[in-house]
Amino acid sequence: MAETYTFTAKDLKEIEKITAKYPDKLSAVLPALWYAQDKFGHSDPSVQQLVAKTLGVPEAHIRGVVSFYTQFYEKPMGRNVLDVCTCLSCQVSGGYDMLHYIEEKLGIKAGETTPDGEFSVQSVECLGACGYAPMLQVTNDKFVNHLTREKVDKLIEDLRAGKKPDFESNPMPQHEKGS
Amino acid sequence: MPEIYIDNKRYEFEKPGKVLQFMLDKGLDLPFFCYHPSLSIPANCRQCVVKAGMPVFDREKKVFEIDDEGNRVIRYFPKLMTACSLDLADGLVIHTHETDELVKEAQADNLEFILINHPLDCPICDQAGECPLQILTYKYGPEGSRFEHKKVHKPKAIQLGPRVILDAERCINCTRCVRFTDEISKTYQLTIISRGDKNYPTTANGREFDDPYSLNTVDICPVGALTSADFRFKARVWEMNQTPSVDITNGKGCSTWLWTRDNLVLRVTPRFNEAVNDHWMPDAGRLAYRKFNENRISRPHLRPDDAGQVRTSWNNAQLTLQEELEKVTADEILVIGSPHASVEDNYALRTYFGNLGVSRFRFLPHTEPGTGDGFLISDDQAPNTNGVKGLGFDEIDEKSLIKLIETGKPKIIAILDDDLLGRTALTEEHLASSWMIVWGTNHNDTTRAANLVVPVTTAAEHAASYVNVDGRIQRTVPAKETLYTNRRLNLEMSMGRLDHYGTKFDNWVSDANRIDCIPAWEFFTRMKSDSDTIAWESSRQIMEDIAGTFPVFREVSYDRMDEENGIQLKLEQDSEVKPA
Ligand code: SF4
Ligand code: FES
């Protein structure tokens, strides 16, 4: 496995700042991995190796962490990653319908990336937005809630055009004034 | 003294500890998987749950609250607690499955969960018969499963490393293997990947599980997820005999079990010994099974002329040595003891030649500097260096040995089991003018160059003692029959199920694997001798002789070694050694 990725002096300084915050190296694994994934776009085995070496923690441990979270990408992904929730609440509100619609629309299966490198789709577990089911998350960032086919069509069109979704405020009924 | 009540019985405890370990020490039964006395406690399998509570103490009146029936009022934890991680505390009350229905149900339900994705392939699994999951399911498990869906499939027969194979579907994710590499061998090679029902242990991407202690994970895996590449599919555990022994491939001398079937050693596993190896042993020591089984010398071999060796009778071997000895004087004989042979055999060698007037007793230590790791692998490649030393053999280095042979030109060289030609620069040319006798276990360069080869027993076939690098003397027990020993007659040998009930029509019973060899000491008792110091009948008797002769071995006896799992010798007494 060739090490094709490296950290620059500036990166190393940033990572040092991260490690300085914690009493031991293992605690810095998550933020350091975020830093690496932001930089390289994924956390494939060679990135894992680089992070392990930089932090001085066992490589096996990094693999354990990366493979635990769907938010860390074990292989290079498309420019936009659609994490469609298929956990219980979304499932009963049509999460799989949404997933299959997206799969059909993009011509790929969950876990795959479109040939043009624009989209990857993943089926993920609960993202903590059960109240707005069915939902998906775009590239570890904004949630798109109350999914419908129309909403999905628009989202994909926007993303193709380079437009990221806006933050949607979804007040819970008990918080809505006057109700 | 602080007290604890388990199933309404009172126990006292002295030292702080955990409830599960306390119960195990007391011989009480509680099912568990992830707990291991030598590893950290993650409490992740949840099999060891108990109901636990503390007596209610009235702080104002400074007394325990008492109920109407005069018993202490107990305030129980709201949920069941894991006994493996629960500290002993004065007054603690524990209820196990014996006295609490909820605990009983919880144990069965937990097993039902653990078994949901388990393949239940016991009939083809190596672990069957010694599998905690199998045993505990019989004892505590539910009658059946209510799970009607497809099981989750995971990788099978993955070669994790050169010696360990993983079946991820069988894994119950107890993390014992991961904790072993993190806490004991410190190679940090394993981790659990993914999550939920998909997780299983593996290495970092593209890395091999080549930890020099990797096979210990196979021993501690409570299911058949990790199996030994060497032993896989070789035998069912209930067909084998299990005999206590000592690792003879390394100076550390880990306590071991030898597992035999039909007089072949099929695997070597560590035997718990707090003073030496705890629960562990290096992978290299487990390879000794090949030395016990393969390439063995059977029947004496004689080289009548330069043409090569032929097999000969024991009688002829004895007469030949007698004849050769009569041709020379005592100072023309060089006797080389062996750190690879036992204390008893070295002593017999020394006594026999000492009676003939020989005074030159040498031995060449077998160390490879830099190969040790400060844990269970020592630089010393031989199991008995301190033993030979303690018997008064003079340590000599390779150069001096070759010089001694080149310049001294001994007429007879007697070598006890040690492949000197194989492991040193000594060559056949050096030995050209000498007549050489070798007592050997396996064919090697030295035995091939010998004029007379006497086949002797290995540590798997005799009862004999070895002194490890730290000066601890431990002994072996015969595990494998030779042509002349018999399991039914030698009460020390273990009898397995097959030995008791097998007939010659059983698949696994033959006599093919019995080697024609005897312990080296026995050969000397057969030689004609003027002295009566050589009338031993067993190695146990020899040890009594040794204990009476050499201060270092004072108070050593087989009984003590058995009872105390070996005896620590005071090696500094070395200097006081008086010659036999
Ligand atoms: S492989 Fe065995 S020891 Fe390792 S986590 Fe699985 S069950 Fe436990
Ligand atoms: S032994 Fe596994 S939780 Fe206690």
Side-chain angles (χ1 to χ4, degrees):
Chain A
M1 195 164 37
E3 265 182 62
T4 41
Y5 299 93
T6 45
F7 284 134
T8 62
K10 187 174 148 281
D11 297 332
L12 290 175
K13 213 176 246 154
E14 287 302 317
I15 290 174
E16 234 163 71
K17 265 193 229 155
I18 296 171
T19 46
K21 286 191 221 160
Y22 301 100
D24 61 49
K25 291 177 290 186
L26 284 184
S27 319
V29 165
L30 280 180
L33 273 170
W34 275 125
Y35 186 89
Q37 180 157 303
D38 276 347
K39 180 177 166 87
F40 304 117
H42 57 83
S43 308
D44 84 351
S46 29
V47 174
Q48 292 171 25
Q49 212 175 59
L50 176 69
V51 173
K53 219 171 77 190
T54 312
L55 292 182
V57 301
E59 247 177 71
H61 181 78
I62 303 279
R63 179 174 186 195
V65 172
V66 170
S67 62
F68 183 89
Y69 295 101
T70 38
Q71 285 85 348
F72 288 125
Y73 307 143
E74 286 184 272
K75 54 176 194 238
M77 296 294 236
R79 217 159 48 78
N80 303 291
V81 181
L82 306 181
D83 288 334
V84 187
C85 177
T86 50
C87 205
L88 187 66
S89 308
C90 287
Q91 203 174 105
V92 296
S93 327
Y96 272 113
D97 292 342
M98 286 302 121
L99 177 67
H100 295 151
Y101 180 65
I102 294 172
E103 285 178 339
E104 225 162 85
K105 194 170 163 70
L106 296 175
I108 52 173
K109 289 266 169 244
E112 295 175 352
T113 302
T114 50
D116 60 2
E118 276 298 306
F119 293 98
S120 296
V121 181
Q122 297 195 107
S123 144
V124 302
E125 301 304 332
C126 187
L127 291 168
C130 306
Y132 330 129
M135 56 80 64
L136 63 75
Q137 185 180 21
V138 181
T139 329
N140 290 335
D141 192 17
K142 296 288 177 325
F143 284 8
V144 184
N145 307 307
H146 299 303
L147 289 178
T148 56
R149 292 181 174 220
E150 294 69 41
K151 237 176 157 170
V152 168
D153 289 342
K154 174 146 192 320
L155 174 70
I156 288 177
E157 209 172 286
D158 282 354
L159 288 172
R160 274 230 169 83
K163 187 170 168 291
K164 305 270 172 204
D166 292 326
F167 172 71
E168 271 180 87
S169 175
N170 279 294
M172 298 300 274
Q174 62 267 40
H175 297 143
E176 277 177 291
K177 279 205 187 94
S179 68
Chain B
M1 197 175 291
E3 54 184 20
I4 153 173
Y5 294 83
I6 301 172
D7 292 331
N8 304 325
K9 247 188 102 184
R10 181 176 177 275
Y11 299 85
E12 293 187 343
F13 65 93
E14 280 171 37
K15 284 180 273 153
K18 305 289 181 188
V19 173
L20 175 59
Q21 186 61 55
F22 182 80
M23 290 184 64
L24 297 176
D25 293 343
K26 287 270 176 274
L28 302 173
D29 204 16
L30 197 65
F32 67 94
F33 293 112
C34 68
Y35 177 74
H36 189 285
S38 296
L39 301 173
S40 61
I41 303 172
N44 63 23
C45 75
R46 316 308 286 179
Q47 190 58 48
C48 66
V49 286
V50 290
K51 183 171 161 188
M54 288 295 280
V56 183
F57 192 68
D58 188 326
R59 285 172 204 246
E60 272 164 28
K61 297 196 197 128
K62 298 213 178 345
V63 286
F64 288 109
E65 268 178 39
I66 303 292
D67 66 11
D68 298 341
E69 278 155 32
N71 297 321
R72 281 182 186 175
V73 178
I74 306 296
R75 188 177 290 136
Y76 287 98
F77 285 96
K79 295 275 170 70
L80 299 182
M81 302 295 285
T82 50
C84 63
S85 60
L86 186 63
D87 282 311
L88 293 172
D90 194 10
L92 183 67
V93 174
I94 298 288
H95 290 281
T96 71
H97 51 280
E98 303 277 352
T99 51
D100 191 85
E101 273 309 305
L102 184 65
V103 174
K104 204 168 176 171
E105 267 173 50
Q107 288 172 348
D109 290 350
N110 196 54
L111 274 163
E112 193 177 348
F113 265 123
I114 289 178
L115 292 170
I116 275 185
N117 283 312
H118 190 82
L120 297 174
D121 55 350
C122 310
I124 55 148
C125 176
D126 272 318
Q127 188 85 349
E130 54 175 6
C131 175
L133 182 58
Q134 196 182 35
I135 295 165
L136 295 182
T137 303
Y138 272 120
K139 274 174 136 174
Y140 303 98
E143 295 282 305
S145 174
R146 287 168 290 176
F147 189 69
E148 296 170 342
H149 306 273
K150 222 174 112 185
K151 292 188 185 238
V152 173
H153 289 297
K154 299 187 206 178
K156 291 179 93 73
I158 302 296
Q159 186 100 32
L160 271 193
R163 295 172 291 276
V164 177
I165 291 177
L166 167 74
D167 182 315
E169 289 184 347
R170 293 180 187 153
C171 172
I172 61 167
N173 287 292
C174 71
T175 71
R176 274 184 176 186
C177 54
V178 177
R179 280 176 283 144
F180 175 82
T181 65
D182 285 356
E183 295 163 20
I184 307 290
S185 70
K186 299 238 164 42
T187 57
Y188 307 96
Q189 284 183 340
L190 294 181
T191 186
I192 302 279
I193 62 159
S194 194
R195 62 173 158 173
D197 56 12
K198 296 185 189 63
N199 59 11
Y200 62 89
T202 189
T203 53
N205 277 290
R207 300 288 186 205
E208 274 208 315
F209 183 37
D210 57 1
D211 189 317
Y213 294 92
S214 64
L215 283 168
N216 291 296
T217 60
V218 174
D219 300 333
I220 59 175
C221 179
V223 295
L226 298 175
T227 49
S228 151
D230 253 5
F231 177 67
R232 221 164 122 80
F233 305 136
K234 286 264 181 68
R236 314 284 351 195
V237 287
W238 57 86
E239 287 165 352
M240 293 188 287
N241 294 2
Q242 191 184 1
T243 310
S245 191
V246 175
D247 182 7
I248 43 96
T249 63
N250 190 264
K252 194 74 190 181
C254 293
S255 294
T256 59
W257 289 112
L258 300 184
W259 296 78
T260 52
R261 188 190 63 198
D262 194 23
N263 294 311
L264 284 180
V265 179
L266 295 180
R267 69 170 176 181
V268 181
T269 57
R271 179 164 55 93
F272 176 68
N273 187 343
E274 217 175 356
V276 180
N277 54 315
D278 207 51
H279 296 274
W280 324 115
M281 75 178 287
D283 291 0
R286 305 182 192 236
L287 274 184
Y289 79 94
R290 306 192 59 171
K291 185 176 154 72
F292 298 142
N293 299 340
E294 298 166 16
N295 191 31
R296 290 295 303 276
I297 307 169
S298 202
R299 265 179 98 70
H301 285 51
L302 181 69
R303 186 199 298 275
D305 46 47
D306 282 344
Q309 292 174 339
V310 292
R311 289 179 185 214
T312 185
S313 70
W314 286 94
N315 207 11
N316 196 24
Q318 283 150 235
L319 290 174
T320 308
L321 174 60
Q322 197 70 50
E323 266 169 40
E324 292 298 328
L325 288 172
E326 277 158 17
K327 289 188 207 157
V328 302
T329 59
D331 56 3
E332 289 168 324
I333 304 176
L334 172 64
V335 179
I336 305 177
S338 168
H340 290 281
S342 67
V343 175
E344 289 82 346
D345 284 350
N346 275 291
Y347 174 75
L349 177 82
R350 205 188 147 158
T351 312
Y352 177 75
F353 282 98
N355 287 344
L356 297 179
V358 175
S359 57
R360 290 193 285 183
F361 296 101
R362 304 286 150 79
F363 86 99
L364 188 72
H366 190 181
T367 52
E368 277 171 25
T371 54
D373 63 358
F375 182 37
L376 296 179
I377 301 176
S378 63
D379 285 352
D380 196 342
Q381 307 294 305
N384 195 27
T385 309
N386 278 323
V388 216
K389 247 193 245 175
L391 290 171
F393 282 79
D394 294 325
E395 190 171 329
I396 190 171
D397 63 18
E398 189 176 332
K399 264 210 212 105
S400 332
L401 176 70
I402 294 175
K403 204 159 142 234
L404 189 69
I405 292 172
E406 271 181 336
T407 54
K409 301 226 182 307
K411 292 246 171 68
I412 292 184
I413 302 182
I415 301 178
L416 185 58
D417 188 28
D418 196 347
D419 186 13
L420 293 175
L421 267 70
R423 71 175 172 98
T424 70
L426 195 68
T427 62
E428 285 195 48
E429 280 85 77
H430 292 125
L431 305 165
S433 61
S434 311
W435 186 85
M436 182 162 77
I437 173 169
V438 175
W439 288 265
T441 56
N442 301 70
H443 292 285
N444 56 35
D445 291 348
T446 311
T447 61
R448 275 186 286 270
N451 299 76
L452 177 62
V453 184
V454 181
V456 294
T457 48
T458 59
E461 286 144 330
H462 60 214
S465 328
Y466 299 83
V467 186
N468 82 353
V469 279
D470 305 314
R472 194 178 180 83
I473 186 165
Q474 311 178 89
R475 75 155 184 135
T476 61
V477 174
K480 203 175 168 268
E481 289 168 316
T482 67
L483 218 49
Y484 310 104
T485 57
N486 187 312
R487 236 174 247 292
R488 285 166 198 273
L489 301 179
N490 182 342
L491 297 181
E492 209 168 59
M493 294 188 81
S494 66
M495 296 263 289
R497 193 169 142 270
L498 272 178
D499 306 310
H500 278 292
Y501 312 113
T503 71
K504 65 181 163 54
F505 305 111
D506 266 301
N507 279 349
W508 307 122
V509 183
S510 76
D511 267 341
N513 303 316
R514 296 164 73 170
I515 310 285
D516 190 353
C517 64
I518 57 175
W521 62 263
E522 201 178 320
F523 184 79
F524 297 113
T525 62
R526 294 184 184 184
M527 292 296 295
K528 198 166 85 189
S529 166
D530 308 331
S531 157
D532 58 357
T533 52
I534 300 204
W536 310 297
E537 277 180 2
S538 66
S539 53
R540 187 181 287 264
Q541 230 179 40
I542 301 183
M543 189 42 83
E544 283 164 17
D545 270 14
I546 298 173
T549 315
F550 292 89
V552 186
F553 295 100
R554 200 188 299 144
E555 287 164 22
V556 172
S557 71
Y558 275 24
D559 289 343
R560 253 193 87 195
M561 281 193 271
D562 292 350
E563 254 160 52
E564 299 166 32
N565 223 343
I567 304 168
Q568 185 63 42
L569 304 180
K570 291 200 188 64
L571 291 181
E572 57 273 24
Q573 288 177 351
D574 254 359
S575 46
E576 302 175 28
V577 168
K578 62 171 184 204

